[in-house]
Amino acid sequence: MAGSRFAIELARTHSNDDTARLPITLISKEPQVGYNRIMLSPVLAGDTAFEDTYLYDNSEYEQLGITVLAGVAVETIDTKCQCIELDDGQTLNYVKLVMATGSTARVIPFPNHTAKGVHVFRDLADVTALMDYASQGKTGLVIGGGVLGLEAACALAAQGASMTVIHMDVYVLNRQLDLPAAELLQAELSRRGVGLAVSAHTEAIEMNGAGEVCGLSLKDGRTLAADFIVMAVGVIPNTALAKQSGIEVNRGIVVDDFMHTSCPNVYAIGECIEREGELFGMVAPVNQQVDTLVTVLKDGLILGNSTSSNLASKDLIENDTNVIDGQITVPDHWVPFVSKPLSLKLKVSGMSAFSAGQIAFDDEAADTVETLVYRQPELNHYHCLYLKENKLIGAVLYGDTSDGSFYSQLIIDNVDITSIKDTLIFGEAYCHLDEITLNNLPTTEVDIEFNETDKNVDHHKAAELLEDAL
């Protein structure tokens, strides 16, 4: 995704000037180039055709002069000679090289983890294999109750498989949701025929004499029968190629604010990178990285020719930066990558959850946090906002997540919400009912009582009161 989008966006900066157009070659190990990986869940559920997941038509690459090499992998990078060798024997020279090698699904090495029937959920081949199990009504287990695991379980259940999610914590999405939201989600999973085993720790994968999966043993002594197992336990950045090429690697390929690696003329973006100790597995920051690197490379300028040996130190001197009086300068049009707080969205055919910011606190921190909560049990709606010093610092929404972007932006911008605090729980529409309007109605009073720390509101009734007041 990152590589395809970068190639297209960089080419578009010169699309109206053939003389300035940069020759771009896009190399993809997968035969399918530039598809939206996050759309694999609806493909697995049968809601979307794989052909509809492509970000761009082949004609767009052609029109922009992008050469696409599909189904081939880069075997080696010679950073001194600035050339790469492909697994089909080709050798290509480069002026600038962008690594967007992505990540690989993590596989926990439980006993028998290589048995036939153990899968991950990462690409089209995985989707094809898993759909085959579902079409036969097989019994499957998903290890991991995160977003990907839940989406896979629901999709396979909808396709005819008997599914159970195995999660080691006390409730699913425990890093993104609070307990009330998770309980609503788990109840919906049950209604959809997806089983759930929480606080469940895997001991070993069971297999038969033919080396096929036949179950999963848990540390509490239980053994769950299964025909196949899906591991949805996170991803690992693909760094092997960078490491063998002498490029600095930690957990990911180390980059600076402008996507430079430690090697001259080599850049990296996407799930393969690490910036100041942070890894990136969400679409939003990856798109930001693409946008940043486009600003860096769109003019094709080489402004210097020295490099630092230690990228982690703050004194990086890269080959396309200026050094004036010992100070590093970059062109004004370069836009640095800035990591922002992330939000999570889970949307599985009528089941929606959203979270942003900080939602978990130790006992000491919890004493300084104020919560605004509303529940509509008849609609399975739940909202919880976390406030500190009149700033929104976290939000959890279940059922109606339409105000997720609004709350997320308030968190990112660190907005003082004092003037909209009384209506904040009702969402953006009510916060944008100008406070001036309410203040100009001195004879109208809307009395909605809040507790000091846990403000439980019947959203529907309170909203009606506000509408009547207007």
Side-chain angles (χ1 to χ4, degrees):
M1 287 172 59
S4 299
R5 182 171 182 269
F6 173 74
I8 290 287
E9 293 301 326
L10 182 61
R12 282 174 175 170
T13 64
H14 299 114
S15 60
N16 296 322
D17 185 356
D18 289 338
T19 62
R21 181 174 291 177
L22 298 171
I24 298 172
T25 300
L26 177 64
I27 304 167
S28 171
K29 184 176 181 179
E30 289 186 72
Q32 302 81 22
V33 180
Y35 65 89
N36 187 345
R37 200 177 298 277
I38 64 175
M39 291 300 292
L40 290 179
S41 291
V43 172
L44 184 60
D47 296 332
T48 301
F50 180 78
E51 291 71 25
D52 295 330
T53 69
Y54 284 102
L55 299 171
Y56 311 101
D57 294 330
N58 288 334
S59 60
E60 292 185 72
Y61 296 108
E62 295 172 5
Q63 290 168 6
L64 291 169
I66 299 171
T67 300
V68 178
L69 302 179
V72 292
V74 178
E75 286 198 333
T76 61
I77 301 172
D78 186 332
T79 58
K80 291 183 179 179
C81 295
Q82 294 196 180
C83 65
I84 61 174
E85 185 175 331
L86 307 184
D87 63 359
D88 65 358
Q90 291 188 73
T91 297
L92 303 177
N93 296 318
Y94 67 84
V95 175
K96 303 287 185 180
L97 179 69
V98 179
M99 302 189 72
T101 51
S103 60
T104 301
R106 182 175 174 231
V107 175
I108 301 175
F110 297 123
N112 302 323
H113 70 279
T114 59
K116 183 179 180 181
V118 177
H119 296 270
V120 294
F121 178 30
R122 189 66 182 164
D123 57 26
L124 179 59
D126 299 324
V127 171
T128 301
L130 294 174
M131 290 181 75
D132 187 50
Y133 288 114
S135 67
Q136 300 176 61
K138 298 289 188 178
T139 297
L141 303 176
V142 174
I143 299 176
V147 171
L148 189 64
L150 298 182
E151 290 181 346
C154 288
L156 289 167
Q159 292 282 62
S162 175
M163 300 303 301
T164 299
V165 175
I166 312 299
H167 191 56
M168 64 186 298
D169 288 288
V170 293
Y171 60 84
V172 298
L173 291 182
N174 52 288
R175 294 182 181 180
Q176 294 87 14
L177 300 182
D178 55 18
L179 181 58
E183 288 176 337
L184 289 171
L185 175 57
Q186 290 175 175
E188 181 60 28
L189 290 172
S190 179
R191 283 191 286 271
R192 292 173 181 235
V194 176
L196 182 63
V198 296
S199 300
H201 298 263
T202 297
E203 180 73 34
I205 293 169
E206 299 296 327
M207 66 179 185
N208 59 26
E212 301 167 330
V213 167
C214 62
L216 188 73
S217 295
L218 303 179
K219 290 185 178 181
D220 61 9
R222 288 180 293 165
T223 298
L224 305 179
D227 299 308
F228 68 99
I229 290 173
V230 182
M231 284 203 198
V233 289
V235 296
I236 301 171
N238 290 326
T239 61
L241 181 61
K243 189 173 184 178
Q244 74 181 34
S245 304
I247 297 168
E248 184 179 353
V249 168
N250 189 27
R251 290 189 299 158
I253 301 171
V254 179
V255 299
D256 68 4
D257 291 344
F258 299 100
M259 305 296 109
H260 299 109
T261 69
S262 61
C263 181
N265 297 314
V266 180
Y267 308 78
I269 53 175
E271 293 184 342
C272 64
I273 77 161
E274 176 181 338
R275 176 60 186 145
E276 295 186 342
E278 185 178 4
L279 301 178
F280 305 91
M282 305 286 279
V283 173
V286 171
N287 284 343
Q288 286 178 250
Q289 294 159 19
V290 168
D291 294 341
T292 286
L293 190 52
V294 168
T295 69
V296 173
L297 294 184
K298 67 178 182 180
D299 291 333
L301 298 177
I302 301 177
L303 302 176
N305 199 29
S306 58
T307 184
S308 168
S309 62
N310 183 8
L311 182 64
S313 65
K314 296 298 183 180
D315 59 351
L316 173 67
I317 302 176
E318 187 48 60
N319 63 298
D320 52 5
T321 58
N322 281 325
V323 181
I324 301 175
D325 296 330
Q327 299 295 315
I328 301 169
T329 62
V330 300
D332 292 339
H333 69 270
W334 286 15
V335 178
F337 170 73
V338 178
S339 180
K340 298 178 181 179
L342 295 177
S343 59
L344 170 138
K345 294 179 182 178
L346 169 71
K347 191 163 185 65
V348 182
S349 184
M351 183 168 59
S352 300
F354 172 91
S355 75
Q358 185 179 3
I359 64 167
F361 310 89
D362 57 32
D363 291 341
E364 183 177 350
D367 291 338
T368 66
V369 175
E370 183 180 4
T371 58
L372 306 178
V373 178
Y374 95 79
R375 296 179 176 86
Q376 288 182 276
E378 68 278 8
L379 296 177
N380 282 331
H381 287 181
Y382 167 82
H383 288 188
C384 183
L385 305 181
Y386 296 86
L387 311 178
K388 185 175 182 179
E389 297 176 353
N390 287 318
K391 304 286 181 62
L392 181 64
I393 61 172
V396 174
L397 313 178
Y398 182 85
D400 178 8
T401 62
S402 57
D403 282 306
S405 297
F406 169 62
Y407 291 133
S408 181
Q409 200 61 49
L410 291 179
I411 295 169
I412 291 171
D413 293 342
N414 198 32
V415 173
D416 186 324
I417 52 85
T418 302
S419 64
I420 58 173
K421 184 176 180 180
D422 289 344
T423 56
L424 186 62
I425 194 66
F426 308 129
E428 182 177 13
Y430 292 95
C431 293
H432 287 184
L433 296 174
D434 290 338
E435 292 296 318
I436 296 175
T437 305
L438 291 177
N439 292 336
N440 286 339
L441 296 172
T443 60
T444 303
E445 295 184 0
V446 181
D447 187 9
I448 304 172
E449 213 172 284
F450 293 91
N451 293 326
E452 195 53 37
T453 57
D454 186 4
K455 303 191 175 179
N456 294 277
V457 182
D458 184 323
H459 177 270
H460 183 68
K461 292 180 180 178
E464 285 183 344
L465 285 172
L466 281 172
E467 288 175 343
D468 289 344
L470 296 172

